[in-house]
Amino acid sequence: MTDIEFAFSSQVDLKREMADDDYVLEAMLVSTLKDDQVQKFQDADKAGKINYLMKWRHGSPFEHTFFTFRVEAPIFVFREWHRHRIGISINEASARYTVLPGKFYCPPATRPLVQTGKPGNYTFVPGTADQYDKLLAEIQENSREAYARYERLLEEGVAKEIARSVLPVNIFSQMYWTCNARSLMAFLSLRTKRDAMLTPTGEMMEGDNEMVYQVNPNGAMFPSSPQWEIDQCAQAMEAEFARLMPHTHTSFVQNGRVAP
Amino acid sequence: MTDIEFAFSSQVDLKREMADDDYVLEAMLVSTLKDDQVQKFQDADKAGKINYLMKWRHGSPFEHTFFTFRVEAPIFVFREWHRHRIGISINEASARYTVLPGKFYCPPATRPLVQTGKPGNYTFVPGTADQYDKLLAEIQENSREAYARYERLLEEGVAKEIARSVLPVNIFSQMYWTCNARSLMAFLSLRTKRDAMLTPTGEMMEGDNEMVYQVNPNGAMFPSSPQWEIDQCAQAMEAEFARLMPHTHTSFVQNGRVAP
Amino acid sequence: MTDIEFAFSSQVDLKREMADDDYVLEAMLVSTLKDDQVQKFQDADKAGKINYLMKWRHGSPFEHTFFTFRVEAPIFVFREWHRHRIGISINEASARYTVLPGKFYCPPATRPLVQTGKPGNYTFVPGTADQYDKLLAEIQENSREAYARYERLLEEGVAKEIARSVLPVNIFSQMYWTCNARSLMAFLSLRTKRDAMLTPTGEMMEGDNEMVYQVNPNGAMFPSSPQWEIDQCAQAMEAEFARLMPHTHTSFVQNGRVAP
Amino acid sequence: MTDIEFAFSSQVDLKREMADDDYVLEAMLVSTLKDDQVQKFQDADKAGKINYLMKWRHGSPFEHTFFTFRVEAPIFVFREWHRHRIGISINEASARYTVLPGKFYCPPATRPLVQTGKPGNYTFVPGTADQYDKLLAEIQENSREAYARYERLLEEGVAKEIARSVLPVNIFSQMYWTCNARSLMAFLSLRTKRDAMLTPTGEMMEGDNEMVYQVNPNGAMFPSSPQWEIDQCAQAMEAEFARLMPHTHTSFVQNGRVAP
């Protein structure tokens, strides 16, 4: 029986990219046939033009960019990830073609474990040490037993594609995931946790045309509440995005984290 | 502890549709501004026109149609299903929002269990009774134990979204899946098993311009080798497709099962 | 020489649909395996649930719906229309396969003719009667001459696909355009004219966490400034959308006209 | 009045790329967790593996690649181009935001002008010198007059977006167009002219299971009949594709020019 491995986090690596604020500007400027003038712009002009695109939701110029990530994450994270369909490409390890290695995800001690609130308005808070210990024990024992069954079935001559039936959704898989800056922003807007950017402090009365809003500069125009594990991955991707396309990233944040 | 259920097949139901060969023709005929003349055509004319579209790969007229299926299948089948991105829509049961019922997939006795051949050229053949018995025992015991752990974790107060880590990929899930006739053909071309339609009986020699092909009228221009479980679902969908759009289906088959 | 026709508006007809707020709810409720309970909900519950989806940007349940429009509009409008790629299907009259009828678009007298403001911040205001008369004369004369050339070239035996080179972009074309409620909202959010919903009345100071906003209930979270002619078409489509899916439409408007 | 320019061809330039057969292989090999072994493969192995993907229609590995073209072509060509929706991104000169330069397309003398055959089965043959002269004269005169009207309307103060109504579809526009190798192959399969690869030399009789086919190695599994002008552009793109991804291109051709 093979030893199995437990890991407490997913892994996201930027494998390849062709992403730069200038490519956005170049594609924008073809609309006025000035795409050869990108180099002449000052940095502040570049920021302003990109912000204009974001604010008016001219999304297509952000698509002429390219990121390929290599991701290792548990299957239940990939299940959420693969719901994104537009402007993205996926190749993943196949349990039909290869024996999946015995590496399983366990939540780290910092992972909030308990859900409070009512349907449609959850928050997650830390569990007790006892809850965490029991969770870890169940997950690890379950992983070990399932993988032992998997190996027994393979030895028995059962095809990989059906033997995998016993594997739990915390087993790790690996994939290449390619996107552009626009589809990446769509992913980040849903898969990073954010509260509302603007919260009204009262109700509008008949005849009113003004309203006081509480402003949360770290918030989003539309709040988002992803699973903790995919948020961890999204944060790693957002860091790469901010590094490679700083004007685009700043503008995305300031305009409320809605993909243009 | 809740009793769990074992099921030996997936379930595909056509929930809603707006699909008809005439809609294809209408969309085709707007290209010559004759879309109001669909009713005048004889059945043979309709078949001929649809075959013309298929042969010349005019795919867009097939998109003005609509099928919503409700599918209940194990997670490992949905994992393959959700790789299809174009022209399709998905909503699925969420193990973040609801406790998944304890219903698990077991392969039926007729399911080929043993893979033979070399990488890239597999076939599947029946297993022995002993192999099947062992497989069934492992899968059922694994399902029972995993679901018992899941319930213990939920009782312990652990959030659904993390308690689900212990569930195996043979647990059933449910979804609504919407497509059009073109995206359905793309699905069927990859997810139903077919051998090659044309197999050359020799090699072309210098100067030759003819070749004898063995013809398999049930084959496909490009062979396909899907997992048995998703093929079962695809067959149920193909039956509905053939019933609702008989000319389109016939033409799809005769032109080698390549989506236009 | 064939007489040509001038028309002062485009034409949008809903040809076929399968669109209902209940289909959205059904697809939403499969996430908690309660999709069979849609009929039990009161109207207010339905409104609340759909608003929840819109606010949290759960966009996929809106996709299990279907609208086919038949549109007659000038080519310069179709040029903008066809930039929409996601969740839509198009079949259009082909000037390769058919002789385009001599029907040409002329702006009506109510169409604002003069652009004021600076790049990136235009508005359009009415022209003078003289400007309109000159415009109409140029457009009509141009259409007549171009169509006469087109007919001469066809008579000369030149292929339709190359003879069309002389036709101006105000010639009418016709298409079938199919979408779902989500892709329709994406279209409407960009192709109907709206000012900003929220305008800050001052600047945030260091330490502030509140801000007074002027509220325009007819506005959009992100303002939009489409060409007048496509806005006219979009308004006709929005009326059908509001009629068929009233809760979804209301929620779209109240949440700032951003497609979920 | 501004002088106008006539051009007899479109222009396609590869502006930026990240495209290599090795990226395809890497994405393929993650399915068996061997993506780090690409460098070890011999060239013949690479060719074989890529051919395997093409033959079995595993299309996704070809998507982790990136091409941005800058294209200058007449509007009637862009009208066809923009029907491609999947895996592509477009930014084009906007006649709302900028005055279009007076550059117009004229067919060169080598362009076949006359369409023969019946509906659904056209071919194009050369026109007479007289036909060409008349065509050229009409197109050039039409372009000149239309552009003069356009300039008069702009001088009159009419907004660019409505003044453009008089411009014919042979005026040049410019765009950035981004795709991946898979969406490029879909484009090439439809937009390069090809006859059938396999033509049956007889009819299958009851009981037959063999058939003699005439083989055209330059043909396609599904024939294609694009407009001459877009085919010229597609050929330029195919040359870049073949240069950057030689194994993928060879395999695309040998498998009948169907995008996987």
Side-chain angles (χ1 to χ4, degrees), chain B residues 152-213:
Chain B
R152 280 200 299 272
L153 288 171
L154 294 173
E155 269 164 45
E156 197 62 44
V158 172
K160 291 187 281 295
E161 68 177 29
I162 190 72
R164 68 164 156 181
S165 300
V166 297
L167 294 173
V169 296
N170 70 322
I171 195 167
F172 275 92
S173 183
Q174 301 181 35
M175 73 167 172
Y176 279 70
W177 193 77
T178 291
C179 63
N180 59 51
R182 190 184 195 180
S183 53
L184 181 55
M185 287 187 276
F187 185 88
L188 297 177
S189 82
L190 293 169
R191 304 299 181 181
T192 54
K193 183 166 175 43
R194 286 296 182 286
D195 294 327
M197 192 177 217
L198 298 180
T199 310
T201 58
E203 282 208 40
M204 298 267 305
M205 296 299 156
E206 193 67 31
D208 283 4
N209 62 359
E210 287 190 351
M211 164 72 76
V212 182
Y213 281 85

Side-chain angles (χ1 to χ4, degrees), chain C residues 79 83 85 88 92 111 113 131 138 142 145 149 152 156 159 161 164 166-167 169 225 227, chain D residues 79 83 85 88 92 111 113 131 138 142 145 149 152 156 159 161 164 166-167 169 227:
Chain C
R79 291 252 300 146
R83 296 308 165 85
R85 294 158 295 169
I88 58 98
E92 190 191 333
R111 206 270 188 217
L113 290 187
Q131 277 175 321
E138 292 280 15
N142 187 69
E145 290 183 9
R149 290 185 201 282
R152 280 201 298 272
E156 197 61 45
E161 67 175 31
R164 65 163 158 182
V166 297
L167 294 173
V169 293
S225 184
Q227 176 140 347
Chain D
R79 292 254 297 146
R83 296 307 166 84
R85 295 158 296 169
I88 58 98
E92 190 191 332
R111 206 271 188 216
L113 291 187
Q131 278 175 320
E138 293 279 16
N142 188 69
E145 289 182 10
R149 291 186 201 281
R152 281 201 297 273
E156 197 60 44
E161 68 176 29
R164 66 163 157 180
V166 297
L167 294 173
V169 295
Q227 176 141 347

Side-chain angles (χ1 to χ4, degrees), chain B residues 130-148:
Chain B
D130 185 54
Q131 278 175 321
Y132 181 68
D133 291 345
K134 280 180 177 150
L135 174 62
L136 208 63
E138 292 279 15
I139 286 181
Q140 295 194 341
E141 205 176 355
N142 187 69
S143 304
R144 258 186 230 107
E145 289 182 9
Y147 201 73

Side-chain angles (χ1 to χ4, degrees), chain C residues 32 177 228:
Chain C
T32 48
W177 193 78
W228 189 88

Side-chain angles (χ1 to χ4, degrees), chain A residues 75-76 78-80 82-85 88-90 92-93 96-97 105 107 111 113-115 122 124 130-131 134-135 138-139 141-142 145-146 149 152-153 156-170 173 225-229, chain B residues 75-76 78-80 82-85 88-90 92-93 96-97 105 107 111 113-115 122 124 130-131 134-135 138-139 141-142 145-146 149 152-153 156-170 173 225-229:
Chain A
I75 280 177
F76 69 82
F78 278 7
R79 292 254 298 145
E80 299 186 335
H82 296 169
R83 296 307 167 84
H84 295 259
R85 294 158 295 169
I88 57 98
S89 300
I90 305 170
E92 189 190 333
R96 295 186 72 204
Y97 301 155
Y105 173 74
R111 206 270 187 217
L113 290 189
V114 176
Q115 183 174 321
Y122 297 132
F124 289 85
D130 185 54
Q131 277 175 321
K134 280 178 177 153
L135 175 62
E138 292 279 16
I139 287 180
E141 205 174 355
N142 188 69
E145 290 183 9
R149 290 185 202 282
R152 280 200 298 271
L153 289 171
E156 197 61 44
V158 171
K160 291 187 283 290
E161 69 176 29
I162 192 69
R164 65 163 158 181
S165 299
V166 296
L167 293 173
V169 295
N170 69 323
S173 183
S225 184
Q227 176 141 347
W228 189 87
E229 279 78 11
Chain B
I75 282 179
F76 70 83
F78 278 8
R79 292 252 300 145
E80 299 186 335
H82 295 170
R83 296 308 166 83
H84 295 260
R85 293 158 297 169
I88 58 99
S89 299
I90 307 169
E92 190 191 333
R96 295 188 70 203
Y97 302 154
Y105 173 75
R111 205 270 188 216
L113 291 188
V114 177
Q115 183 174 320
Y122 296 133
F124 289 86
D130 185 54
Q131 278 175 321
K134 280 180 177 150
L135 174 62
E138 292 279 15
I139 286 181
E141 205 176 355
N142 187 69
E145 289 182 9
R149 292 185 200 281
R152 280 200 299 272
L153 288 171
E156 197 62 44
V158 172
K160 291 187 281 295
E161 68 177 29
I162 190 72
R164 68 164 156 181
S165 300
V166 297
L167 294 173
V169 296
N170 70 322
S173 183
S225 184
Q227 176 140 348
W228 190 87
E229 279 78 11

Side-chain angles (χ1 to χ4, degrees), chain A residues 88-108:
Chain A
I88 57 98
S89 300
I90 305 170
N91 279 84
E92 189 190 333
S94 164
R96 295 186 72 204
Y97 301 155
T98 201
V99 174
L100 287 192
K103 181 172 176 182
F104 292 87
Y105 173 74
C106 299

Side-chain angles (χ1 to χ4, degrees), chain C residues 20-157:
Chain C
D20 194 297
D21 288 327
D22 279 6
Y23 305 162
V24 178
L25 290 166
E26 214 176 50
M28 171 203 199
L29 289 168
V30 80
S31 67
T32 48
L33 300 173
K34 293 181 179 146
D35 52 302
D36 56 347
Q37 299 178 20
V38 173
Q39 305 308 328
K40 298 185 196 159
F41 289 108
Q42 302 297 314
D43 222 47
D45 289 338
K46 291 182 179 181
K49 280 181 198 308
I50 283 178
N51 199 54
Y52 171 80
L53 292 177
M54 200 72 76
K55 188 181 156 195
W56 286 88
R57 310 200 82 201
H58 292 293
S60 51
F62 297 99
E63 295 178 21
H64 304 273
T65 53
F66 171 88
F67 302 77
T68 296
F69 294 97
R70 193 185 190 291
V71 186
E72 186 177 14
I75 281 178
F76 69 84
V77 168
F78 279 7
R79 291 252 300 146
E80 299 186 335
W81 208 305
H82 295 169
R83 296 308 165 85
H84 296 259
R85 294 158 295 169
I86 308 303
I88 58 98
S89 299
I90 305 169
N91 278 86
E92 190 191 333
S94 165
R96 296 187 70 202
Y97 301 155
T98 202
V99 174
L100 287 192
K103 181 171 177 182
F104 293 86
Y105 173 75
C106 300
T110 50
R111 206 270 188 217
L113 290 187
V114 176
Q115 182 174 322
T116 63
K118 51 180 184 147
N121 198 8
Y122 297 133
T123 54
F124 288 85
V125 297
T128 64
D130 185 54
Q131 277 175 321
Y132 181 69
D133 292 346
K134 280 180 176 149
L135 175 62
L136 208 61
E138 292 280 15
I139 286 180
Q140 295 194 342
E141 206 176 355
N142 187 69
S143 304
R144 256 185 231 107
E145 290 183 9
Y147 202 74
R149 290 185 201 282
Y150 181 52
E151 289 197 312
R152 280 201 298 272
L153 289 171
L154 294 173
E155 269 164 45
E156 197 61 45

